[in-house]
Amino acid sequence: MAMALAACSTRQRLSEMSPDGAIHFMEKLLFQIYEHFDEQDLIDVTFKLSNPTSLITAHRLILSAASPYFKQLFKSEDGICPLIEITDMDSDTFERLITFCYTGKTIVTIENVDRMLKAALILQLEEVVLNCVDFLIDHITDYTLARAYALESEAQCELLSAKIFEYEIENFINVIQSPEFLNFDANKLQTILERDDLNITSERDAFDAIKRWYEHDASSRKQKLPDLMSYLRLTQFNTNFIMENIHPLPGCQFTALEAVSWVNVPSTRKAISLRCTRPRQRIADAFLALNFEKNEYAKSRRIEGMRAEQLSQLKEHSSGIIFQYNKTDDLWQKWVDIKMDAVDVQAILMDDNLIFIGGTRNGKAIDEVSSWNFKNTLFQRLPPMNQPRYLHSVVELNSKIYAVGGQGANDEILQSVEMYTASDGWKSINSMSTPRAFVTAVVLNEKIYVIGGRHGDTLKSVECYDPTKNSWTQCADMNEKHSNAGASVHNGQIFVVGGFHDDDSLTVERYDPQRNEWTKICSLNIKCQRPGCISIYNQLWAVGGNYKDFVSVYDEQNDKWIDKKPIPKNGYYYCFTAPKCLL
């Protein structure tokens, strides 16, 4: 006995051996197994099925290797008998699954997928379960959603439930139109509404779904309604919609009033406990570019030698267009026109509005501020700045707007900076150390960086404003002078793109705030002033600039700019992202 055990202990376990180099042998072995099965040779188990009555033979070793169900069965007392009766599946389905145990292949159809899935669950054939579920979801139109829900209930298959849920998230607009949606229980609907990646065109789709579900059985569902409404991204609706559509619903008054306060009074937001305040991922990624094309006066007013009477006959205005980028087709599509009676304005997106700040009218700097609403496309006047500005820059930080530098009413270059809040209007803050026109500003790490510009000569200097201290500090100078440049924060660093020195510039520089260091990177493929710059799709984009239509994306890995299809109109652009529900 001792010698036998010793011999056994020195035998190498086959499961520990690598199959590398044995592919030919394994193929030959598998072919021999197929021959044994086809010739019914060395068969050691027979299954009896009664629907219809038939006998199906196989090899215990093969079935045990393919299925934990068979392995456990053959080790039990019930599996010792050479004839085993199967009562919970039909013979055709069972025979297909026995074939799978030998070949790893089976045929799934619309007609047999229900039976195949339920039998595969019993026999613990995971690959067949996966194949059946994938087939069902891929053919859901022919299979029907009603049949899928019935099978989910009957089979109690976790994988099927997970795949159906993925389908509901991805195809929510179609699902809510089906009769089956009206029979969802409240918990299921809540779980769907919670998902940040719910595939809808706007938050209105989710609201309409809840209302349709509720009205199907209002008396028994009204208690669930307030909780479901709280899972909407209520901050994506305007005040009128909330008060007209959500406030009147049973039990929803308090939630509606909180949402209105959030939208209209930003200072109260810390005290408001809305569940979801950010837009969903699927509806927060519209890439927009705003272009202002000036009329002939605006284009020519700086041309020397133009007579005063000629200028007086022309009225200065600009015609704005917002283009939306279609990532799938790499195309820009016109979304809306905006009419303005001023030029050289600065624009910034806040909530549902584009805020236009300063600029010139008939050659004179203005202090005016107005907002243009995405949903009603109407203008509204806001409190004016403390002084007129153009060729300035604007940024938003913590729901405050900052207007930086520029030129004033008498074309003097400004050193001053103003801050706007909805509650207090415009207030002056500490001035920059250097007056700057044609200036560029960005926000990074809760601070404002003001970059380059002009004061007599084009500037290399950069300074940083800390709003918590109301103070400015000097940063490292750029390698080259930049004014009227584009800029954006990308991957935690500041990129300055193009601009003007002695001529339109190709130069691009990158600032590392940790090292306080500027590095020149690959130049643009075309010279330009003030291209619209934005970090989106995990890339840095440059769009247009001084009557150019180019669009280019920075390839960081290879340090080069890749030109994309041009935008339809030449000109300066403001680039920003906006929730698709605004469009």
Side-chain angles (χ1 to χ4, degrees):
M1 176 65 72
M3 291 181 60
L5 288 174
C8 181
S9 65
T10 59
R11 179 175 63 85
Q12 184 176 2
R13 295 176 62 85
L14 297 181
S15 59
E16 297 174 353
M17 296 181 64
S18 171
D20 295 345
I23 300 300
H24 176 69
F25 174 78
M26 295 173 70
E27 289 178 347
K28 183 178 179 182
L29 180 63
L30 187 60
F31 181 76
Q32 292 296 322
I33 291 172
Y34 289 169
E35 280 198 340
H36 281 302
F37 181 73
D38 290 341
E39 297 173 5
Q40 295 291 285
D41 189 20
L42 301 178
I43 293 297
D44 55 3
V45 65
T46 301
F47 297 96
K48 179 182 179 182
L49 292 99
S50 57
N51 183 25
T53 301
S54 60
L55 296 176
I56 298 171
T57 57
H59 300 89
R60 291 171 182 263
L61 179 62
I62 301 301
L63 300 190
S64 296
S67 161
Y69 170 87
F70 285 121
K71 182 177 181 180
Q72 186 176 0
L73 172 64
F74 296 146
K75 287 185 175 182
S76 69
E77 291 185 5
D78 294 337
I80 296 175
C81 179
L83 181 65
I84 299 174
E85 189 170 356
I86 301 294
T87 61
D88 46 9
M89 63 192 73
D90 65 89
S91 58
D92 180 66
T93 301
F94 185 78
E95 186 171 14
R96 288 174 183 268
L97 294 179
I98 293 298
T99 301
F100 173 85
C101 291
Y102 283 84
T103 65
K105 297 179 181 179
T106 191
I107 298 174
V108 181
T109 67
I110 292 291
E111 291 71 26
N112 73 15
V113 65
D114 307 66
R115 301 190 302 274
M116 291 287 287
L117 175 62
K118 289 185 282 188
L121 287 168
I122 294 171
L123 300 181
Q124 300 177 36
L125 295 169
E126 293 183 1
E127 288 189 37
V128 179
V129 171
L130 179 59
N131 291 343
C132 289
V133 170
D134 286 344
F135 178 88
L136 188 154
I137 297 299
D138 290 343
H139 298 80
I140 193 72
T141 302
D142 296 327
Y143 185 81
T144 75
L145 198 57
R147 189 172 161 189
Y149 285 132
L151 180 60
E152 179 188 19
S153 176
E154 186 177 353
Q156 295 294 303
C157 173
E158 291 184 5
L159 179 62
L160 177 60
S161 296
K163 290 287 187 177
I164 289 177
F165 183 67
E166 289 178 10
Y167 177 85
E168 291 165 340
I169 297 299
E170 187 66 29
N171 300 274
F172 187 68
I173 299 299
N174 293 330
V175 170
I176 62 178
Q177 301 303 321
S178 68
E180 291 73 32
F181 170 73
L182 298 176
N183 295 319
F184 278 15
D185 63 56
N187 290 335
K188 179 180 178 67
L189 183 53
Q190 174 188 313
T191 303
I192 292 173
L193 293 170
E194 285 177 334
R195 287 290 291 259
D196 195 41
D197 59 345
L198 185 63
N199 191 14
I200 52 180
T201 59
S202 76
E203 199 63 24
R204 177 65 185 268
D205 294 332
F207 168 80
D208 290 341
I210 296 174
K211 192 173 181 184
R212 181 169 183 259
W213 176 87
Y214 157 70
E215 290 176 346
H216 181 68
D217 188 3
S219 59
S220 65
R221 294 177 173 176
K222 64 181 180 180
Q223 290 185 338
K224 301 290 186 180
L225 184 60
D227 196 46
L228 290 174
M229 283 292 172
S230 72
Y231 285 96
L232 291 176
R233 278 47 173 176
L234 294 167
T235 57
Q236 302 308 300
F237 299 116
N238 61 37
T239 299
N240 290 340
F241 182 89
I242 294 170
M243 296 307 295
E244 291 175 7
N245 295 277
I246 298 176
H247 187 269
L249 295 173
C252 297
Q253 291 79 9
F254 179 74
T255 300
L257 292 175
E258 281 199 319
V260 168
S261 295
W262 178 280
V263 172
N264 291 341
V265 190
S267 60
T268 66
R269 290 178 179 176
K270 290 184 179 179
I272 296 173
S273 57
L274 290 178
R275 273 200 171 103
C276 309
T277 57
R278 295 181 179 273
R280 300 179 197 273
Q281 292 176 4
R282 292 291 187 95
I283 56 177
D285 58 354
F287 179 10
L288 304 178
L290 167 64
N291 165 275
F292 279 111
E293 177 163 326
K294 304 174 184 178
N295 71 346
E296 289 306 315
Y297 172 77
K299 293 178 182 177
S300 60
R301 67 186 176 88
R302 296 188 182 89
I303 297 177
E304 294 182 6
M306 197 169 188
R307 298 193 305 271
E309 59 269 23
Q310 290 177 303
L311 294 176
S312 65
Q313 294 173 2
L314 295 170
K315 184 177 180 181
E316 188 173 17
H317 69 275
S318 60
S319 176
I321 301 176
I322 295 179
F323 293 99
Q324 181 177 357
Y325 181 66
N326 182 324
K327 185 179 180 183
T328 303
D329 299 327
D330 185 26
L331 289 174
W332 292 91
Q333 299 166 324
K334 178 179 174 181
W335 178 61
V336 70
D337 290 304
I338 303 176
K339 298 297 182 182
M340 297 281 291
D341 65 350
V343 297
D344 292 325
V345 296
Q346 288 290 311
I348 194 167
L349 176 67
M350 283 191 69
D351 300 324
D352 294 357
N353 300 286
L354 274 173
I355 312 296
F356 297 104
I357 302 168
T360 64
R361 181 180 297 108
N362 300 326
K364 295 183 178 180
I366 59 175
D367 59 6
E368 295 171 9
V369 181
S370 59
S371 69
W372 181 86
N373 186 268
F374 271 81
K375 293 181 178 179
N376 60 29
T377 67
L378 297 177
F379 275 97
Q380 179 181 354
R381 281 294 176 93
L382 297 178
M385 292 183 290
N386 293 322
Q387 64 183 123
R389 295 175 190 270
Y390 73 105
L391 304 180
H392 56 304
S393 188
V394 297
V395 294
E396 183 268 334
L397 173 59
N398 294 329
S399 299
K400 301 178 178 70
I401 299 175
Y402 294 80
V404 179
Q407 290 185 211
N410 299 313
D411 283 342
E412 73 278 18
I413 296 180
L414 301 175
Q415 192 172 351
S416 63
V417 182
E418 302 181 44
M419 178 185 73
Y420 172 81
T421 60
S423 56
D424 298 325
W426 291 92
K427 289 186 175 181
S428 295
I429 62 173
N430 278 349
S431 297
M432 298 178 289
S433 64
T434 303
R436 300 172 189 269
F438 294 97
V439 63
T440 304
V442 297
V443 171
L444 175 62
N445 299 330
E446 302 292 305
K447 296 178 182 179
I448 299 171
Y449 289 81
V450 178
I451 304 160
R454 275 188 178 182
H455 182 220
D457 191 11
T458 304
L459 302 171
K460 286 185 178 181
S461 63
V462 179
E463 48 190 307
C464 174
Y465 176 71
D466 185 343
T468 63
K469 300 176 181 178
N470 190 25
S471 64
W472 293 87
T473 56
Q474 291 294 318
C475 301
D477 286 354
M478 293 179 287
N479 294 289
E480 293 195 8
K481 301 174 181 180
H482 290 265
S483 70
N484 212 23
S488 180
V489 171
H490 176 63
N491 290 341
Q493 297 182 317
I494 298 172
F495 288 73
V496 174
V497 180
F500 183 83
H501 179 26
D502 296 324
D503 191 4
D504 290 0
S505 177
L506 293 163
T507 305
V508 181
E509 301 195 39
R510 177 175 59 205
Y511 177 70
D512 184 338
Q514 302 299 321
R515 297 182 176 182
N516 187 30
E517 181 178 88
W518 287 93
T519 305
K520 291 177 70 172
I521 63 172
C522 178
S523 296
L524 293 170
N525 299 324
I526 185 171
K527 293 182 178 181
C528 70
Q529 295 182 43
R530 208 186 77 191
C533 291
I534 189 171
S535 176
I536 190 170
Y537 311 131
N538 199 32
Q539 298 171 312
L540 179 68
W541 289 61
V543 179
N546 62 317
Y547 309 109
K548 291 183 170 63
D549 62 358
F550 90 104
V551 178
S552 196
V553 175
Y554 180 54
D555 178 355
E556 287 185 89
Q557 185 173 356
N558 299 302
D559 189 30
K560 66 179 182 179
W561 288 87
I562 300 172
D563 291 338
K564 309 282 281 186
K565 291 182 181 177
I567 200 161
K569 292 185 73 67
N570 297 339
Y572 295 124
Y573 279 90
Y574 303 95
C575 294
F576 48 92
T577 59
K580 286 184 179 178
C581 62
L582 291 183
L583 310 186

